[in-house]
Amino acid sequence: MTNNTPNSIVDDSTLQKHSQAEPLSNTNSKGGEGPVGNSRVEQAIKVGQENFDKEDSESSDSRIELSFSKEAHEQLKKVAHALNLNFETVINSAIHYVDFLNQIQQKSLNEIIPDSPPINEDGQDLHKQKITLFVETNLKLKQMGLRDRVTDCASAGIRLLYENNCLPKPNQQTSNTSSSPSL
């Protein structure tokens, strides 16, 4: 019987000696000799920190509180349930939907967003909702010139999403007549 265990090319003492030694190569990512990109690493950290600071300052004004009428709040709940989305996503999507109608379907913002009465002047119950606007949503609001009318824009978008997704269509059967399913 022969012993089929392979012979070690490097013994344990050689392996231990190399693991404690200096690195085999001191090249940077471009293949040049010298320190491994310290200035490049520092520059990348600096740029990353600047970007983080910029995003942090932008996101601080992205956290807002909206005040919805009872009707708009009910519509928000129904749209969120119908589409299985959280309130924050529905509100951001509603604002995008207003922009979509304005850009793609060529509807004017005055058509989409009616002038709303000043908040709480008509004695309506208000439902406050704190959300964070997505960066894209903030951009859309600024492009439409509606950054100071976020609640109006969101309410209009929610109303339209509600009408298009939660109300029965005129051509849908609304009676409870029994019919056999068609295959």
Side-chain angles (χ1 to χ4, degrees), residues 3-100:
N3 186 356
N4 287 335
T5 59
N7 291 334
S8 170
I9 297 173
V10 178
D11 64 8
D12 287 338
S13 64
T14 307
L15 186 60
Q16 189 176 28
K17 183 170 70 173
H18 283 292
S19 68
Q20 294 172 356
E22 293 294 320
L24 297 175
S25 172
N26 195 18
T27 60
N28 62 24
S29 62
K30 294 190 179 196
E33 293 293 325
V36 182
N38 285 340
S39 63
R40 290 178 57 200
V41 170
E42 288 173 10
Q43 181 64 26
I45 290 171
K46 182 180 175 185
V47 169
Q49 185 63 45
E50 289 170 0
N51 288 341
F52 176 78
D53 292 342
K54 181 181 174 187
E55 287 176 16
D56 193 38
S57 69
E58 287 175 357
S59 68
S60 65
D61 70 333
S62 297
R63 185 86 179 141
I64 61 171
E65 181 175 87
L66 303 176
S67 298
F68 292 110
S69 68
K70 183 178 181 178
E71 179 184 18
H73 188 258
E74 288 300 315
Q75 290 173 346
L76 172 62
K77 289 190 323 189
K78 289 178 181 173
V79 170
H81 177 73
L83 300 176
N84 194 30
L85 299 170
N86 63 40
F87 285 0
E88 189 167 285
T89 302
V90 171
I91 292 168
N92 278 279
S93 296
I95 293 168
H96 281 269
Y97 191 59
V98 167
D99 180 61
F100 169 80

Side-chain angles (χ1 to χ4, degrees), residues 134-152:
F134 302 154
V135 173
E136 299 86 16
T137 306
N138 248 336
L139 284 171
K140 295 280 184 199
L141 286 165
K142 288 176 185 174
Q143 289 169 353
M144 291 186 289
L146 296 174
R147 189 61 178 95
D148 59 336
R149 294 185 65 197
V150 179
T151 298
D152 293 339

Side-chain angles (χ1 to χ4, degrees), residues 108-149:
S108 76
L109 290 173
N110 292 333
E111 243 183 296
I112 301 167
I113 305 170
D115 287 333
S116 60
I119 293 179
N120 220 14
E121 203 171 272
D122 59 355
Q124 62 185 347
D125 291 331
L126 294 180
H127 295 271
K128 296 187 183 285
Q129 185 72 45
K130 285 186 180 184
I131 67 158
T132 300
L133 292 175
F134 302 154
V135 173
E136 299 86 16
T137 306
N138 248 336
L139 284 171
K140 295 280 184 199
L141 286 165
K142 288 176 185 174
Q143 289 169 353
M144 291 186 289
L146 296 174
R147 189 61 178 95
D148 59 336
R149 294 185 65 197

